[in-house]
Amino acid sequence: MHVVVLAGGIGGAKFLSGVRELGHEVTAVINTGDDVTMHGLRITPDLDSVMYTLGGGADAERGWGRAGETWTVKEELAAYGAEPTWFGLGDRDIATHLVRTRMLAAGNPLSAVVEALCDRWKPGVRMLPMTDDRVETHVITEGTAIHFQEWWVRHRGQVPTERFVFTGAAAAKPAPGVLEAIAAADAILIAPSNPVVSIAPILAVPGVRDALVAAPAPVVGVSPIIGGAPVRGMADICLETLGIEVTASGVGDLYGPELLDGWLVDTADAGAAVEGVTVSARPLWMTDVAETAAIAADAIALGER
Amino acid sequence: MHVVVLAGGIGGAKFLSGVRELGHEVTAVINTGDDVTMHGLRITPDLDSVMYTLGGGADAERGWGRAGETWTVKEELAAYGAEPTWFGLGDRDIATHLVRTRMLAAGNPLSAVVEALCDRWKPGVRMLPMTDDRVETHVITEGTAIHFQEWWVRHRGQVPTERFVFTGAAAAKPAPGVLEAIAAADAILIAPSNPVVSIAPILAVPGVRDALVAAPAPVVGVSPIIGGAPVRGMADICLETLGIEVTASGVGDLYGPELLDGWLVDTADAGAAVEGVTVSARPLWMTDVAETAAIAADAIALGER
């Protein structure tokens, strides 16, 4: 069985570690809208979260970056007064960024860089960036566009937020293998990632949404909202910015019946309904890998109904 | 009094810390032939040795790089199998390289980068790269050119060495201020740096040698060879490659009477003679800053004779 998973960073990585347990062939299509260039380094936070988590190198407690991380370079950059100082640039992480930046500068596409980095991390799933083209999520705040990382990491989303734009998306092409994997999938899952800034950028790459709608495989989403609140991150602020209700139904409606065949919600949201979509409820807390695998198995089963 | 010093890295930095003690206005013209790009980072070893040493940030025991250095990024790069693995890329150092690489990529000349970095380090002398253009010392070994860093750091000079070439030197221009400083100097000193790979690249930048010859100020060199051996580094291998005697006289002859007015040698080499050049002897071991300052003062005094 071939399972395709659309995923963002931390939540997506956690979900994928459960999917991987099921023993299927897994292709993860990962958001690159968070990608950013800082201090001359090209940084791909969601790809790295998935790679480090599945490769056993992630810091589980902090939730992002490398286990055993140190911060020498960051402190030294601050001593030079080099901006920005608010981004969490760990020493171990920097080695990854150096390899990536150098490979990109040499003309390699991002998908080839991911493959090369995964030679070390062996994530056990096929990791594809949503696109090899540069797409960046920007946030319009008080008439100015700032990078999503600045909005998220520096301001914690606590600035007047008008909307999110996926700069470069209109001209982007899906990375090699993305459309093929979707067309050949037996099941397609949308991880419980932020629908506005993790999943929407993937859907904004021309061709991806159409491929999902046309795919013979069922598409099942797992709700990132449990009992009216996001499991992690700032999906609530993001959804409110779009005027969407912060509920399992709200996110289900956002994806909608054209995209979704099934929508898996938490038992706390058992009453959720999405017009034209089969909704099923089960506990969605990804407490450990076994439980997460059970969630993923139920999502696949929901698609087969 | 305005003193101009031509200098390489570690020995040059040590010598400059003595010159600085004399309280004159000092301009250091520093070799950039050792510069290299590794892991996408532009690295300027001699400029950094001088900057860290005069700025109080150098590791005195190791002789190069930053005090309190850590090696996390280097270990991680090795874990990715990223070459080269033989170069000493410290975490603290990397922050300097990141600032430099980013500033160069933004279009700043190297001299502007040095000035910006010195905002932090405050070396107390005016530091000028010999050129803003890219000049790299390559070593011809068994018919192949390798970068000087590879020859020095990786092979410790222990490969058949035919000659040294300063790639890019013919088309290079002296950095802004270099020729002006030489013309306006009251004394010009050649630090006891490696004559073949630290001082020669500076002299190979078109215009520098002519400016030194034409300068009204006397030019005095301090011998890097004491009693037939280099104080540090591999000047002996370098000199032998050129067929030059590894003696104070040999190096004095290499610079020659057109360039030199005075040649300061160690008391162990009191018998040294260089045709057309006033030779003087005194202890040249730079045991501490006060002694190094006394050596520099004697060099200046030799020029005034």
Side-chain angles (χ1 to χ4, degrees):
Chain A
M1 187 178 204
H2 185 192
V3 182
V4 168
V5 182
L6 309 193
I10 300 168
K14 204 162 184 182
F15 185 67
L16 278 162
S17 65
V19 178
R20 182 178 57 177
E21 283 296 291
L22 301 176
H24 305 311
E25 184 191 341
V26 181
T27 298
V29 178
I30 297 159
N31 173 44
T32 60
D34 288 18
D35 294 7
V36 67
T37 300
M38 286 188 184
H39 302 286
L41 300 169
R42 188 66 183 163
I43 303 170
T44 61
D46 284 3
L47 284 163
D48 287 358
S49 286
V50 172
M51 185 174 75
Y52 293 157
T53 299
L54 298 186
D59 187 303
E61 203 165 322
R62 190 173 54 244
W64 56 270
R66 292 288 310 281
E69 190 56 288
T70 55
W71 308 92
T72 306
V73 178
K74 185 176 192 280
E75 285 158 20
E76 284 291 317
L77 286 170
Y80 279 115
E83 296 287 345
T85 53
W86 46 261
F87 191 75
L89 203 56
D91 298 333
R92 292 187 165 193
D93 220 8
I94 282 174
T96 306
H97 305 331
L98 282 171
V99 173
R100 179 186 308 109
T101 303
R102 188 186 184 191
M103 284 192 70
L104 290 171
N108 295 281
L110 180 58
S111 49
V113 175
V114 171
E115 203 179 328
L117 294 173
C118 286
D119 272 351
R120 171 181 177 193
W121 291 104
K122 307 198 188 321
V125 309
R126 185 179 174 215
M127 284 179 58
L128 297 179
M130 66 189 199
T131 179
D132 279 339
D133 299 313
R134 188 156 170 167
V135 175
E136 289 188 357
T137 300
H138 291 158
V139 186
I140 311 297
T141 168
E142 300 182 308
T144 308
I146 60 173
H147 193 284
F148 173 72
Q149 293 294 343
E150 186 169 358
W151 180 83
W152 174 270
V153 179
R154 183 182 193 184
H155 299 299
R156 312 304 304 168
Q158 301 302 309
V159 287
T161 304
E162 294 164 36
R163 62 202 169 88
F164 301 90
V165 290
F166 308 126
T167 305
K173 286 184 295 295
V178 168
L179 299 184
E180 293 79 355
I182 291 170
D186 299 301
I188 300 170
L189 304 180
I190 301 178
S193 299
N194 187 314
V196 179
V197 295
S198 295
I199 301 301
I202 303 176
L203 301 175
V205 176
V208 172
R209 190 185 173 91
D210 287 349
L212 291 165
V213 171
V219 177
V220 175
V222 179
S223 176
I225 304 293
I226 297 183
V231 174
R232 75 182 57 71
M234 287 177 256
D236 47 348
I237 308 178
C238 296
L239 288 165
E240 281 159 6
T241 298
L242 270 62
I244 293 166
E245 209 181 58
V246 185
T247 62
S249 304
V251 178
D253 284 332
L254 173 67
Y255 290 143
E258 191 193 38
L259 184 65
L260 289 183
D261 296 293
W263 185 234
L264 193 61
V265 302
D266 188 80
T267 41
D269 305 304
V274 180
E275 208 182 312
V277 177
T278 306
V279 177
S280 177
R282 73 161 330 276
L284 288 188
W285 294 100
M286 299 188 283
T287 45
D288 58 27
V289 170
E291 177 63 13
T292 306
I295 295 170
D298 280 359
I300 292 169
L302 172 58
E304 288 169 343
R305 287 222 307 253
Chain B
M1 185 176 206
H2 186 193
V3 182
V4 168
V5 182
L6 311 193
I10 298 167
K14 204 164 183 182
F15 184 68
L16 278 162
S17 65
V19 178
R20 182 177 59 177
E21 281 297 291
L22 301 176
H24 305 312
E25 184 190 342
V26 180
T27 298
V29 178
I30 298 159
N31 172 44
T32 59
D34 288 18
D35 294 7
V36 67
T37 299
M38 285 188 186
H39 301 287
L41 299 169
R42 188 66 184 163
I43 302 171
T44 62
D46 284 3
L47 284 163
D48 287 0
S49 286
V50 173
M51 184 173 77
Y52 293 156
T53 298
L54 298 185
D59 186 305
E61 203 165 322
R62 189 172 56 242
W64 56 270
R66 292 288 311 281
E69 191 56 287
T70 55
W71 309 92
T72 306
V73 177
K74 185 176 193 281
E75 286 159 18
E76 284 291 317
L77 286 170
Y80 279 115
E83 295 290 340
T85 53
W86 46 261
F87 192 75
L89 202 57
D91 298 333
R92 291 187 167 192
D93 220 8
I94 282 174
T96 306
H97 306 329
L98 282 171
V99 172
R100 178 186 308 109
T101 304
R102 189 186 182 190
M103 284 190 72
L104 290 172
N108 296 281
L110 179 60
S111 49
V113 175
V114 171
E115 203 179 329
L117 294 172
C118 286
D119 272 352
R120 172 181 176 193
W121 291 104
K122 306 196 189 324
V125 309
R126 184 175 174 222
M127 284 178 58
L128 297 178
M130 67 189 199
T131 179
D132 279 339
D133 299 314
R134 189 157 170 166
V135 176
E136 289 187 358
T137 300
H138 290 161
V139 186
I140 311 297
T141 167
E142 300 185 306
T144 307
I146 60 173
H147 193 284
F148 172 72
Q149 293 295 342
E150 186 168 358
W151 181 84
W152 174 271
V153 179
R154 185 183 191 182
H155 299 298
R156 311 307 300 169
Q158 300 304 310
V159 287
T161 303
E162 295 165 33
R163 60 200 170 93
F164 300 90
V165 291
F166 309 127
T167 306
K173 288 184 294 293
V178 168
L179 297 185
E180 295 80 353
I182 290 170
D186 300 300
I188 300 169
L189 305 179
I190 300 178
S193 299
N194 187 315
V196 179
V197 294
S198 295
I199 302 300
I202 304 176
L203 300 175
V205 176
V208 171
R209 191 186 172 91
D210 289 348
L212 292 165
V213 172
V219 177
V220 176
V222 179
S223 175
I225 303 293
I226 297 183
V231 175
R232 71 181 62 68
M234 286 178 255
D236 47 350
I237 307 178
C238 297
L239 288 165
E240 282 160 6
T241 299
L242 270 61
I244 293 167
E245 208 181 60
V246 185
T247 62
S249 306
V251 178
D253 283 330
L254 174 67
Y255 290 143
E258 190 193 41
L259 184 66
L260 290 182
D261 297 291
W263 185 234
L264 194 59
V265 303
D266 189 82
T267 41
D269 305 305
V274 180
E275 206 183 315
V277 176
T278 307
V279 177
S280 177
R282 66 151 282 139
L284 288 188
W285 293 101
M286 301 188 282
T287 46
D288 58 28
V289 171
E291 177 62 11
T292 308
I295 295 170
D298 280 359
I300 292 170
L302 173 58
E304 288 168 347
R305 287 226 304 256

